Amino acid sequence: MDKEKVASTKRRLQDDQVYAALAETFGALADSNRAKILHSLMNEELCVCDIACLIGISDSAVSQHLRILRTLRLVKQRKSGRMVYYSLNDEHIKVLLDVCLEHTQHG
Amino acid sequence: MDKEKVASTKRRLQDDQVYAALAETFGALADSNRAKILHSLMNEELCVCDIACLIGISDSAVSQHLRILRTLRLVKQRKSGRMVYYSLNDEHIKVLLDVCLEHTQHG
DNA sequence: AAAATAGTTTAGTAATTACGCAGATGTTAA
DNA sequence: TTAACATCTGCGTAATTACTAAACTATTTT
């Protein structure tokens, strides 16, 4: 074991909570339905029932997915009457999706 | 429900397996110990026991994490005698970590 | 006011996941 | 060969997660 290398790497590491936050955010992306939702929102905002229809799961399930994504600031909502429209929160999300897509489709 | 919007968005969606692959890769990043491992590997390669010592979990657990990361081509290995050195597979990983880090640290 | 609509929340269940432990494989040293 | 070391694999357990169904909130329509 290389004690020197371990020590110098340890110095570069951040607090545990930083990695916990990273993992939590990646976790929000780690579900095919949520990935589909985010990809659907890349061009235009959609309401809950549009998304439910689009990907074929219940309104309830969509709402729960959106709550997870909203909590982590991956999507934002705009309320209008009884409708709630969702859109991507910022450009980070598109980059994450694009880079990961590129990685999975070849490497 | 906006049938037109749903239809046009549906046309832009990819096959289910694309989202499954995305989710699987994000899932590999969705664990704080794996995030820590990947961050540790940003500067230099490390062997299994170095990583185990660094983040404070068993060799066995590290090995299992590395298998997950290797399967999804997030890390690659170099064997030398009985040691196995791991490093990041390509630049995508750094981008994903950096962009996500930026997102979590502010938004 | 009553009914319908859009969305959220809660509860229960089935499936997945991360871990340590124990055992197996493979490599180097005595 | 025997011993020691580095890593990997299989198993059982505890915790997490995603889903449906049902109940609830809030808004609009009749």
Side-chain angles (χ1 to χ4, degrees):
Chain A
M1 207 186 74
D2 190 333
K3 289 222 171 201
E4 183 50 47
K5 209 192 268 188
V6 170
S8 74
T9 305
K10 203 164 212 161
R11 264 176 253 123
R12 283 193 307 97
L13 284 184
Q14 313 245 10
D15 287 349
D16 280 2
Q17 63 190 27
V18 171
Y19 300 105
L22 267 182
E24 201 179 4
T25 296
F26 281 127
L29 299 160
D31 177 272
S32 60
N33 282 330
R34 286 197 293 271
K36 216 181 279 188
I37 289 172
L38 291 171
H39 196 219
S40 299
L41 296 175
M42 282 190 90
N43 288 352
E44 57 188 352
E45 65 176 17
L46 294 168
C47 65
V48 176
C49 64
D50 283 349
I51 297 171
C53 169
L54 197 58
I55 71 177
I57 60 176
S58 69
D59 288 358
S60 170
V62 171
S63 180
Q64 291 177 72
H65 283 311
L66 288 168
R67 180 173 49 75
I68 291 168
L69 295 172
R70 185 158 26 85
T71 300
L72 294 164
R73 308 189 326 282
L74 298 176
V75 300
K76 60 190 173 194
Q77 62 178 198
R78 176 178 73 81
K79 295 190 183 184
S80 170
R82 59 189 162 193
M83 310 284 283
V84 181
Y85 293 96
Y86 282 89
S87 55
L88 296 187
N89 190 71
D90 59 57
E91 292 295 315
H92 291 136
I93 327 303
K94 293 187 184 181
V95 176
L96 288 173
L97 287 174
D98 283 339
V99 172
C100 193
L101 204 56
E102 197 183 317
H103 184 264
T104 58
Q105 290 187 335
H106 160 242
Chain B
M1 207 184 77
D2 190 334
K3 288 222 171 200
E4 183 49 48
K5 210 192 267 188
V6 170
S8 73
T9 305
K10 203 164 212 160
R11 264 176 251 123
R12 284 192 307 95
L13 285 183
Q14 312 245 11
D15 287 349
D16 280 2
Q17 62 190 27
V18 171
Y19 299 106
L22 268 181
E24 202 179 3
T25 296
F26 281 126
L29 299 160
D31 177 272
S32 61
N33 282 329
R34 285 197 293 272
K36 217 181 280 188
I37 290 172
L38 292 171
H39 195 219
S40 301
L41 296 175
M42 282 191 91
N43 288 351
E44 56 188 352
E45 66 178 16
L46 294 167
C47 65
V48 177
C49 63
D50 283 348
I51 297 172
C53 168
L54 195 59
I55 72 177
I57 60 175
S58 68
D59 289 356
S60 169
V62 171
S63 181
Q64 290 176 76
H65 283 311
L66 288 168
R67 178 174 49 76
I68 291 169
L69 296 172
R70 185 158 24 85
T71 300
L72 294 164
R73 307 189 325 283
L74 298 176
V75 300
K76 60 190 174 193
Q77 63 179 196
R78 176 178 73 80
K79 295 189 183 185
S80 170
R82 60 190 159 191
M83 311 283 283
V84 181
Y85 293 96
Y86 282 89
S87 55
L88 296 188
N89 189 71
D90 59 58
E91 292 295 316
H92 291 136
I93 326 304
K94 292 186 184 182
V95 176
L96 288 173
L97 286 173
D98 283 339
V99 172
C100 194
L101 204 56
E102 197 184 318
H103 184 264
T104 58
Q105 290 188 335
H106 160 243

